[in-house]
Amino acid sequence: MLSRQVADKLRQHETPFYLYDIALLRQTLESVVYESNKYGYKVHYAIKANYDDYLLSIIREYGLGIDCASGNELRKAIETGFSPEGIVYAGVGKRDKELRYAIEQGILAINCESIQELMVIDALAAEAGRVTNVALRINPDIDPKTNHCIDTGQADSKFGISYDDVLDHADEIKALKHISIRGLHLHIGSQIRELHVFENMCLKVNAIVKALRGMGFDFSFVDVGGGLGVNYDVPENEPIPNFASLFSIVHNHLDVGGCEVHFEFGRSIVAECGELITSVLFTKTTATGRKLLIVDASMTELIRPALYGSYHNIENITSTAERTDKYTVVGTACESTDIFDENVGLLRSSRGDLLTIKSAGAYGMSMASRYNLHDLPGAVYSDKL
Ligand code: LLP
């Protein structure tokens, strides 16, 4: 972990802040580009994972496209210099003004999530005098074997159009004159560690593509989403996620004729390069004997533990103690669930020590809030230390 090596330098910065290991980000990008090039796969970065300007400028250097989930994410991608032809835009509830903007920009595809959305896009594109590229986001009904809070591809989920709905409305969809259906899209969930799930996904996609082609739909690309998980337990063991295995599974099981294959990775690109650095403010023991470490970060900087019960490995990077103790690490917010971890073994810790909360580069800063009127955390980049 970078923070341990540069702990002295971190003292100059006001906590809490995100520390980004730029060398690790570059190695991760090199890996995903190298592995995807073996099969000619296209990779989009899911900007929702982290929209930090400096990280985005680096990601752009490696030629990735963007997957976005709102008009503002789309605008951010375009303003950062990503080419519209490499941008896809998904989301169950796109506002008219967001759709108009996407139509105007001429992006690779608006990933449509309902029959009604297809109709609305057709009407808005007609108004703009354009034909807009879309992809059908199909709900594949797959259990991705991850935390239920972050699965997206099961039949009852709000995401995507059910396959039956597409069949029922096939003729109406094909009759729309201002949309051009270019792709098929799906995303089954996030933080997927059991890679065999992707095998099932491929088999489902094969069947769906075949059936829809049989009905006269034609696709130039299939976008199988993101979801590759990272090692939150012991990040040091796996700083770069195993893109090679995922691509090899897809290569061996996906059979979609001449379609380009696209991925949308968020977490696997940026999670491990980010750490949340926080200071111990106070220590105290509850009446029940629980030792609390009260740190100056909270759920307003990193909401994942409070929101999903997610685990992040925590370490004290400045303690010179030789013994460890068990602590409950809590944040400053006025919420009882504002707990980073319980019963965590740390070097004996005291006021002023710096802790790192690891693997926080994805869905950390991008989900930060100003609850309790907290300031938003800053960012420190390893190559500018
Ligand atoms: N594509 C679509 C359509 C998505 O909805 C997502 C994530 C991705 C790609 C990127 O997935 P990834 O490669 O990052 O797994 N806030 C949650 C995760 C929510 C994921 C939302 N969609 C968390 O902190 O775990």
Side-chain angles (χ1 to χ4, degrees):
M1 277 295 125
L2 172 73
S3 59
R4 219 181 299 134
Q5 297 154 29
V6 295
D8 287 347
K9 292 189 182 164
L10 298 182
R11 287 273 184 213
Q12 306 152 16
H13 299 273
E14 185 184 347
T15 52
F17 61 86
Y18 278 96
L19 170 68
Y20 294 110
D21 182 340
I22 299 302
L24 179 58
L25 173 63
R26 287 188 181 280
Q27 286 161 17
T28 307
L29 289 163
E30 273 156 27
S31 170
V32 75
V33 168
Y34 175 80
E35 298 299 340
S36 59
N37 280 348
K38 286 183 185 165
Y39 308 104
Y41 294 159
K42 297 254 183 314
V43 176
H44 301 261
Y45 167 63
I47 193 170
K48 61 179 78 90
N50 193 320
Y51 48 78
D52 177 279
D53 284 326
Y54 187 50
L55 301 192
L56 285 180
S57 72
I58 293 168
I59 291 167
R60 189 167 56 88
E61 279 178 37
Y62 289 79
L64 272 62
I66 288 285
D67 157 53
C68 53
S70 73
N72 285 347
E73 285 188 357
L74 174 55
R75 192 177 302 278
K76 171 66 113 181
I78 285 174
E79 287 175 0
T80 317
F82 286 88
S83 151
E85 299 91 69
I87 300 180
V88 288
Y89 173 18
V92 283
K94 306 178 188 81
R95 297 169 185 85
D96 287 10
K97 71 171 184 184
E98 297 176 304
L99 287 170
R100 284 200 182 94
Y101 179 61
I103 291 167
E104 199 181 285
Q105 293 301 319
I107 63 174
L108 173 61
I110 303 177
N111 295 340
C112 294
E113 308 218 12
S114 65
I115 303 296
Q116 193 171 28
E117 184 187 342
L118 286 166
M119 310 284 174
V120 169
I121 293 175
D122 185 68
L124 294 176
E127 254 174 57
R130 288 177 177 254
V131 175
T132 284
N133 293 334
V134 301
L136 301 178
R137 178 172 181 176
I138 303 285
N139 180 316
D141 190 16
I142 288 181
D143 178 0
K145 310 243 183 291
T146 183
N147 181 332
H148 181 56
C149 300
I150 53 175
D151 67 26
T152 50
Q154 293 190 265
D156 195 35
S157 140
K158 72 174 178 177
F159 297 101
I161 315 177
S162 82
Y163 175 61
D164 287 344
D165 220 5
V166 176
L167 297 191
D168 291 348
H169 295 87
D171 290 336
E172 283 162 77
I173 298 171
K174 281 189 279 178
L176 298 172
K177 293 279 177 296
H178 295 274
I179 60 170
S180 164
I181 298 179
R182 302 285 303 281
L184 186 89
H185 173 234
L186 66 150
H187 169 74
I188 57 175
S190 201
Q191 184 50 16
I192 298 170
R193 295 286 284 167
E194 295 187 34
L195 293 191
H196 63 88
V197 164
F198 289 107
E199 197 175 312
N200 299 342
M201 175 193 78
C202 290
L203 303 179
K204 271 267 167 89
V205 174
N206 296 346
I208 294 173
V209 169
K210 193 165 171 222
L212 291 181
R213 276 189 171 148
M215 300 184 66
F217 287 99
D218 189 20
F219 305 109
S220 59
F221 70 88
V222 169
D223 179 341
V224 295
L228 180 62
V230 302
N231 189 338
Y232 283 103
D233 295 331
V234 194
E236 291 83 352
N237 284 354
E238 203 183 334
I240 300 178
N242 196 344
F243 296 108
S245 293
L246 172 58
F247 291 145
S248 149
I249 289 172
V250 171
H251 176 70
N252 290 330
H253 295 94
L254 194 70
D255 180 11
V256 289
C259 286
E260 271 185 358
V261 179
H262 293 209
F263 293 81
E264 304 166 342
F265 297 125
R267 187 187 318 268
S268 50
I269 306 281
V270 289
E272 298 296 14
C273 78
E275 300 173 62
L276 178 60
I277 308 297
T278 181
S279 304
V280 176
L281 290 176
F282 303 109
T283 60
K284 73 176 175 187
T285 306
T286 64
T288 56
R290 210 154 56 122
K291 285 189 178 170
L292 303 184
L293 277 189
I294 301 157
V295 298
D296 64 358
S298 73
M299 63 196 290
T300 63
E301 285 76 29
L302 180 66
I303 199 173
R304 303 191 69 258
L307 190 60
Y308 315 116
S310 304
Y311 173 78
H312 286 259
N313 192 299
I314 303 178
E315 204 180 304
N316 185 322
I317 54 171
T318 55
S319 170
T320 51
E322 286 179 0
R323 305 206 26 210
T324 60
D325 227 330
K326 296 273 186 190
Y327 298 101
T328 294
V329 181
V330 303
T332 55
C334 292
E335 293 289 331
S336 301
T337 59
D338 184 27
I339 294 175
F340 285 114
D341 199 7
E342 297 187 72
N343 212 21
V344 45
L346 295 175
L347 290 177
R348 283 214 170 145
S349 304
S350 46
R351 176 170 165 80
D353 285 354
L354 291 183
L355 304 190
T356 172
I357 304 179
K358 303 177 198 173
S359 317
Y363 307 111
M365 182 61 207
S366 64
M367 295 180 79
S369 79
R370 295 214 54 206
Y371 178 56
N372 289 161
L373 267 187
H374 284 181
D375 291 327
L376 289 172
V380 172
Y381 308 97
S382 60
D383 58 348
K384 297 183 180 168
L385 263 175

